[in-house]
Amino acid sequence: CFSDQSWVYDPWEPIAPVDPMFKKTLDYIDNVLLGKLCADVADFELYIQWQYPEVLYPDQITLSHITASVTKYTDLILGFYYSQNGENGEVITLDEWVAAGYMCRNLPTNRTFSFI
């Protein structure tokens, strides 16, 4: 459903926020990735704004900004959930993962990832 969008072929072309595809793009990222990692799409949007303070959000956001943000944000999430040496400050223990059935949605709210 994205193949007819000009910004797919020119990743530096801004995705107009009034374009329904902007929300569909975020919804797709949320459904395919963020939701499965118990991350919040609104938190992801705040991350994009933090990552690119020189870019007016959402008016000047491009596919390149979104793609790079997905990669970096996912790295933060995985580091938070699966840190082996306490890089995230408080490692989620094996006992916590077992109790949650190895599913982040079963972790206590204060143990799920948030950038903010």
Side-chain angles (χ1 to χ4, degrees), residues 14-27:
I15 306 169
V18 294
D19 182 340
M21 294 309 286
F22 183 80
K23 180 164 176 13
K24 284 185 179 183
T25 301
L26 292 177
D27 288 346

Side-chain angles (χ1 to χ4, degrees), residues 41-72:
V41 71
D43 188 66
F44 174 66
E45 289 184 83
L46 290 172
Y47 177 78
I48 294 172
Q49 294 171 55
W50 174 84
Q51 186 71 29
Y52 299 102
E54 74 284 359
V55 177
L56 181 63
Y57 185 87
D59 298 336
Q60 297 175 341
I61 291 299
T62 67
L63 182 59
S64 288
H65 293 123
I66 291 174
T67 302
S69 294
V70 164
T71 300
K72 293 172 185 175

Side-chain angles (χ1 to χ4, degrees), residues 29-30 33-35 37-48 50-51 65-81 113-116:
I29 293 166
D30 188 28
L33 179 67
L34 301 178
L37 295 174
C38 301
D40 181 69
V41 71
D43 188 66
F44 174 66
E45 289 184 83
L46 290 172
Y47 177 78
I48 294 172
W50 174 84
Q51 186 71 29
H65 293 123
I66 291 174
T67 302
S69 294
V70 164
T71 300
K72 293 172 185 175
Y73 189 77
T74 302
D75 285 346
L76 290 173
I77 293 169
L78 295 176
F80 177 84
Y81 286 130
F113 178 82
S114 178
F115 171 73
I116 51 173

Side-chain angles (χ1 to χ4, degrees), residues 80-97:
F80 177 84
Y81 286 130
Y82 303 109
S83 174
Q84 294 297 311
N85 56 11
E87 294 169 11
N88 63 353
E90 291 185 40
V91 175
I92 298 174
T93 67
L94 180 58
D95 289 341
E96 287 177 293
W97 278 118

